[in-house]
Amino acid sequence: MGPLAGLQTCLAAVLETDRSGQDVEELLPLLWEAGRINGTVGARIYRNNTKAVRIRALESTFPVCLAILGQDCFRALCRDYLDAFPSRHPDLNFYGGAFADSVAGFLAHHAGAAFTGFDYLPDLLRFEYLHHELHFAADDPPFDTNAFARLLRERADQTVLIPSAALRVFRSPWPVLGLWRAHKDGGSLPDTAGTEDRLVLWRSAHAISVERLSEDAFDLMKQLAEGVCLGDLCGHTAAWALQDFLRRGWISGCRLA
Amino acid sequence: MSDTIRGAGLGLRMPHVAEILDHGADVPWFELLADNHLAAGGPISAQTDAVASRWPLTLHCVGMNIGGTDALDFDYLARIRSLAKRVEAAWISDHLCFTSCHGHNFHDLLPLPYTSEALAHVAARVQRIQDFFGQPLVVENISAYLRFRESNRSEAEFLSELVERTGCGLLLDVNNLYVNHVNHGEDIDAYLAALPLAAVREIHLAGYSRQDGYLLDTHDHPVHPPVWSLYARVVEAVPEVPTLIEWDNDLPAFSVLLDQARQADSVRLGGD
């Protein structure tokens, strides 16, 4: 490792840990200190910056969970995540991809009375992340009805329908949609012991919508997303719903298996 | 210099976009924080295209990791190149810094030592980025809260040699220059004397915060009087170089940014 790489590794180590003493001690001999900011202060500024920007990204990704927990509690959960999940990409919009799993782990191992009644939280975080992700999903090309008709005519059984790039399906044992709407828009909270949610989230034009699906329709959409051929779906109990999926723009195209 | 990027422009910020598109804005050009406009589709992408259809744009990036020792991220660079082509950006800029190490992104502009090794390293990476983009990169001086003992040249000398080796352009952030002057006692006269002003394509202005006797480049205030004074000196030397107002945190009403841009034009034209 050359001097430049060594110096960057040393500074990175200072930024990645709160064990402030030892790592900063290793950095200090590398610094020139003649101004108003000494090395310890400078390192603290960068450490605070790099954490604050990631916390802001998480707060922006999960606004409803932030509102439910309050800033102090939400940031306490963030701190665990920041330490365990460094950002791996320049684009911060997707930094929260593993936050729900991190929180689930925290609740399983550390939660005390403060989190009683928040068992639904990881799934609500997963739902919020899917909703957030749809803002950045690609636009679909226009559905090619001629290609679809040709495939149906020639190789219907081997035709695979491609779900929209801006569509996600999500299943939870908790009524996450009701919880999300109640906290986002106001209104009464659902009974968390209520029925499970089977949801489709999609972006049409520039608005994101969420809808509950029946168990059969959800299973059909899930199988479509997994690339199951029409030939294997024709006997599905919700096959009747395919036309509705197409009409609503949930299907973006087709291909041969 | 691009014909379309003239006078004082504004950094486009998402909370202002709807107002700008609905009511128009008397601004000659906008700069996109490119990292906020990388969506593959959807409303952000559509808004970006709508702005691009009405105003000339430049792209300002924070993730190229120009000085980093990790491999260049060509997936990221390809997304930037694609965005630049889509919005017909006049140029693309990023900072003289490193932003990631061993695959960890810090999302902050971390300082480099100004050494021969760092210069050779940065110049090679700038050259590769320019080859990939097919156009010169514009490189900005940063506010730094650490300086390294092994530096054997000033930042301005480093940038001057970088321009000589790569033909890149420079983005002179006057606020950063002032912040470093206050925090590290760096000599502004020497800085400006060493900088190849003919390579400056763009000037940035922003506000700082004061904390415990030092300054933080927080982009959350109007431009401060000493920065306006320094700006007046700079634009006396390079009156045709376009200026950009940056404001990122505690974002005020759009009209406040317009006022700052008008003040920049006034200073450039010799007013106060």
Side-chain angles (χ1 to χ4, degrees):
Chain A
M1 189 185 294
L4 181 63
L7 183 150
Q8 293 186 1
T9 299
C10 185
L11 179 52
V14 170
L15 302 187
E16 285 176 333
T17 177
D18 271 334
R19 293 178 289 115
S20 37
Q22 186 183 348
D23 292 313
V24 174
E25 288 305 316
E26 288 174 13
L27 180 68
L28 291 180
L30 304 176
L31 303 178
W32 173 79
E33 296 189 13
R36 299 186 184 193
I37 298 184
N38 66 36
T40 306
V41 171
R44 192 176 67 225
I45 291 170
Y46 285 119
R47 185 185 287 140
N48 289 345
N49 283 352
T50 190
K51 292 195 172 194
V53 72
R54 285 183 288 156
I55 288 173
R56 279 201 301 272
L58 293 173
E59 289 178 345
S60 149
T61 303
F62 303 103
V64 169
C65 290
L66 170 64
I68 290 172
L69 294 171
Q71 194 170 63
D72 289 347
C73 188
F74 186 85
R75 288 189 171 186
L77 293 173
C78 287
R79 278 193 281 278
D80 261 26
Y81 188 63
L82 299 188
D83 291 340
F85 292 87
S87 174
R88 298 279 184 183
H89 194 273
D91 189 347
L92 266 174
N93 286 313
F94 304 106
Y95 177 59
F99 189 51
D101 291 343
S102 168
V103 170
F106 177 87
L107 293 180
H109 292 101
H110 305 292
F115 287 96
T116 300
F118 283 102
D119 295 337
Y120 62 82
L121 192 60
D123 266 7
L124 190 55
L125 287 163
R126 290 184 184 101
F127 172 84
E128 273 210 287
Y129 187 76
L130 293 179
H131 192 276
H132 166 82
E133 199 179 40
L134 286 183
H135 288 285
F136 307 96
D139 296 322
D140 292 318
F143 187 84
D144 187 342
T145 48
N146 290 333
F148 183 48
R150 192 170 57 250
L151 277 179
L152 282 184
R153 201 165 49 241
E154 297 169 2
R155 309 278 291 275
D157 58 332
Q158 293 179 52
T159 297
V160 172
L161 295 178
I162 304 166
S164 163
L167 178 142
R168 304 288 184 272
V169 289
F170 182 63
R171 181 177 203 149
S172 170
W174 309 101
V176 290
L177 181 57
L179 287 162
W180 182 73
R181 283 184 174 151
H183 286 286
K184 181 170 168 287
D185 304 325
S188 58
L189 285 167
D191 179 359
T192 53
T195 54
E196 67 175 16
D197 261 345
R198 291 172 295 267
L199 305 173
V200 58
L201 303 83
W202 80 102
R203 194 188 71 220
S204 58
H206 298 311
I208 295 171
S209 306
V210 188
E211 195 169 301
R212 288 193 182 90
L213 292 180
S214 69
E215 185 161 4
D216 285 349
F218 182 86
D219 184 69
L220 178 67
M221 180 51 83
K222 198 160 171 291
Q223 291 200 41
L224 282 175
E226 289 164 0
V228 176
C229 304
L230 280 181
D232 294 324
L233 292 177
C234 59
H236 195 283
T237 51
W240 53 269
L242 278 176
Q243 196 172 2
D244 191 43
F245 291 178
L246 281 163
R247 183 182 60 76
R248 305 185 76 171
W250 293 358
I251 307 296
S252 65
C254 56
R255 62 178 172 82
L256 270 181
Chain B
M1 194 168 298
S2 165
D3 287 341
T4 57
I5 308 295
R6 290 175 177 277
L10 292 175
L12 185 73
R13 301 298 178 257
M14 300 310 285
H16 291 150
V17 173
E19 178 186 348
I20 291 164
L21 289 173
D22 288 349
H23 304 293
D26 184 18
V27 180
W29 58 285
F30 284 108
E31 184 158 89
L32 302 185
L33 266 179
D35 302 72
N36 292 342
H37 296 267
L38 293 177
I44 299 169
S45 178
Q47 284 186 327
T48 304
D49 290 344
V51 172
S53 71
R54 293 168 60 182
W55 285 275
L57 298 176
T58 60
L59 292 191
H60 192 46
C61 307
V62 292
M64 288 185 205
N65 194 25
I66 287 174
T69 49
D70 284 356
L72 286 170
D73 182 345
F74 280 95
D75 173 57
Y76 173 77
L77 293 173
R79 293 171 73 194
I80 297 293
R81 181 174 67 178
S82 170
L83 175 64
K85 186 176 176 190
R86 207 178 89 221
V87 302
E88 299 180 24
W91 58 75
I92 306 169
S93 58
D94 204 327
H95 303 80
L96 181 65
C97 68
F98 77 101
T99 53
S100 86
C101 184
H102 302 306
H104 294 189
N105 278 271
F106 295 102
H107 306 286
D108 201 1
L109 309 173
L110 303 172
L112 298 171
Y114 301 128
T115 62
S116 300
E117 182 208 11
L119 178 63
H121 178 75
V122 172
R125 285 164 75 92
V126 166
Q127 195 60 62
R128 287 188 71 196
I129 292 168
Q130 293 185 149
D131 290 346
F132 186 74
F133 286 161
Q135 66 185 87
L137 185 65
V138 176
V139 179
E140 178 181 351
N141 59 307
I142 63 165
S143 286
Y145 307 109
L146 298 172
R147 289 298 196 203
F148 297 106
R149 191 178 291 278
E150 65 176 327
S151 292
N152 55 15
R153 44 178 56 80
S154 71
E155 181 181 80
E157 289 166 341
F158 189 97
L159 285 167
S160 175
E161 290 179 78
L162 185 64
V163 168
E164 197 172 310
R165 289 187 187 203
T166 66
C168 71
L170 295 179
L171 195 168
L172 176 57
D173 189 312
V174 176
N175 185 61
N176 290 347
L177 178 55
Y178 181 74
V179 166
N180 289 340
H181 162 70
V182 171
N183 289 344
H184 303 294
E186 289 172 357
D187 183 337
I188 287 177
D189 292 336
Y191 193 103
L192 293 176
L195 202 69
L197 291 175
V200 176
R201 302 282 303 272
E202 179 181 346
I203 295 169
H204 273 185
L205 289 171
Y208 55 73
S209 298
R210 190 176 293 278
Q211 183 174 312
D212 299 333
Y214 53 84
L215 304 185
L216 291 170
D217 175 36
T218 44
H219 293 196
D220 59 354
H221 283 80
V223 178
H224 288 78
V227 177
W228 282 123
S229 300
L230 182 53
Y231 173 67
R233 279 184 61 188
V234 169
V235 291
E236 196 171 18
V238 286
E240 299 302 319
V241 173
T243 297
L244 183 95
I245 303 294
E246 283 188 304
W247 199 315
D248 293 289
N249 299 306
D250 298 333
L251 202 60
F254 186 66
S255 59
V256 176
L257 302 190
L258 282 174
D259 288 344
Q260 292 274 286
R262 289 186 188 118
Q263 190 168 346
D265 273 334
S266 170
V267 170
R268 185 170 53 83
L269 296 170
D272 52 12

